Amino acid sequence: MAKAFIKGVADVKRQPGFGLIAGVCIAVLYLPLMIIAAYSFNAASNIGAGWSGFTVDWYASALQNREFYDSAILSIGLAFAAMVISTTLATAAALGTTRGRPWRGQTATFVAITTPLVVPEIVTGISLLAFFSAIAALVDINLGLGKLLIAHVTFCIPFAYLPIKARLEGMDETLDSAAADLYATRWQTFRYVTLPLLVPGISSGAALAFIVSFDDFTITQLIAGPGETTLPLYIYTRIRRALTPEINAMCTLLLLISFIFIILSFGISKRRSQ
């Protein structure tokens, strides 16, 4: 038990049973993903069959699938647009709620910005669906993909906002005062002092916003119209028809893209803390 304390402070990692619980949690989370990735290289055409040899034919088949390609391009384009808009708005919101004198309603604004993180996605999706229906009833306008973009920006903002806000709170505000003493305008202070120091937080928030938008299924399913099939929606549609090894390859590619951005976000965050 003495090892569970370091300088009188409890060390969770040294608590009895922590390693076992952590191992079980990791296995539950990642073992299914490893199975999907492994069976995407199985030569058997039946997903329920045993291992019958190594092949990359399913990846070739997935990449040659026009519907898969179109949905992937749509998902990447939508996620990139949502990332740019949500990160820009999140940066402005972080500056407004962090820098300067406290103002009335600042706490309420913080709660409003971060609320999408705790609200169930199905509730957010239904709310957005009702909102767009009300807009369509009042104004004869077809937003098309604009509905999906607005929806994705809505739930991406808090994911981009929190890393940027954390970075701002860790920055020394005396640098702004020093810039003002050198007769720099507010824009010059932001451009040459605040923004360069804020880049790691912005990059981390942007990476999170991109992957959250790229992977979203629940809200997209409710909002998307005909011909607006993103990659998660396309994979779900294929699963309802038949579960094939080609789907394993598609899911593995989706996981690969997700892991790349997660690692990128983690690396940027680690660099930010140094």
Side-chain angles (χ1 to χ4, degrees):
M1 292 297 293
K3 294 182 178 180
F5 293 86
I6 298 179
K7 296 181 179 180
V9 180
D11 184 5
V12 177
K13 294 183 292 185
R14 295 177 179 269
Q15 294 294 330
F18 176 84
L20 176 62
I21 296 174
V24 170
C25 292
I26 292 174
V28 171
L29 287 172
Y30 292 102
L31 188 58
L33 303 181
M34 295 173 62
I35 292 174
I36 288 178
Y39 271 85
S40 66
F41 297 101
N42 188 10
S45 59
N46 185 356
I47 199 169
W51 185 265
S52 61
F54 180 88
T55 182
V56 294
D57 291 344
W58 303 118
Y59 286 91
S61 177
L63 294 175
Q64 292 172 3
N65 188 316
R66 185 66 188 181
E67 293 180 347
F68 172 78
Y69 177 80
D70 291 340
S71 61
I73 293 298
L74 175 60
S75 290
I76 292 173
L78 179 63
F80 181 80
M83 176 193 70
V84 172
I85 297 174
S86 62
T87 303
T88 302
L89 295 175
T91 302
L95 288 168
T97 56
T98 305
R99 291 304 174 94
R101 297 179 179 177
W103 42 276
R104 182 177 298 179
Q106 184 171 343
T107 302
T109 302
F110 173 79
V111 172
I113 293 173
T114 56
T115 292
L117 292 173
V118 296
V119 174
E121 284 195 11
I122 187 68
V123 176
T124 302
I126 293 174
S127 300
L128 288 169
L129 183 61
F131 172 75
F132 291 130
S133 298
I135 293 291
L138 294 174
V139 183
D140 185 16
I141 184 173
N142 182 17
L143 294 176
L145 281 174
K147 294 187 299 182
L148 269 181
L149 180 58
I150 293 172
H152 280 229
V153 168
T154 299
F155 63 76
C156 282
I157 287 177
F159 289 95
Y161 169 79
L162 291 178
I164 297 172
K165 182 177 183 293
R167 176 62 176 173
L168 278 170
E169 290 176 341
M171 290 169 52
D172 188 358
E173 293 190 28
T174 58
L175 295 175
D176 294 348
S177 301
D181 291 340
L182 296 173
Y183 303 102
T185 63
R186 289 187 176 181
W187 168 249
Q188 289 174 329
T189 301
F190 174 76
R191 171 65 179 82
Y192 296 105
V193 179
T194 306
L195 185 59
L197 295 174
L198 196 56
V199 166
I202 294 176
S203 302
S204 180
L208 285 174
F210 181 92
I211 200 59
V212 167
S213 173
F214 184 79
D215 287 345
D216 182 73
F217 171 77
T218 304
I219 296 176
T220 304
Q221 185 184 34
L222 293 171
I223 303 299
E228 300 170 358
T229 305
T230 61
L231 188 54
L233 292 184
Y234 173 71
I235 293 176
Y236 174 72
T237 303
R238 286 290 305 271
I239 290 175
R240 294 184 65 184
R241 293 201 300 261
L243 194 60
T244 64
E246 185 182 4
I247 296 177
N248 283 343
M250 294 178 183
C251 292
T252 303
L253 291 173
L254 184 61
L255 284 171
L256 180 61
I257 295 174
S258 300
F259 280 138
I260 288 173
F261 276 87
I262 290 172
I263 293 171
L264 178 63
S265 176
F266 176 78
I268 294 172
S269 299
K270 193 171 182 65
R271 177 189 172 189
R272 179 189 65 192
S273 62
Q274 292 177 348

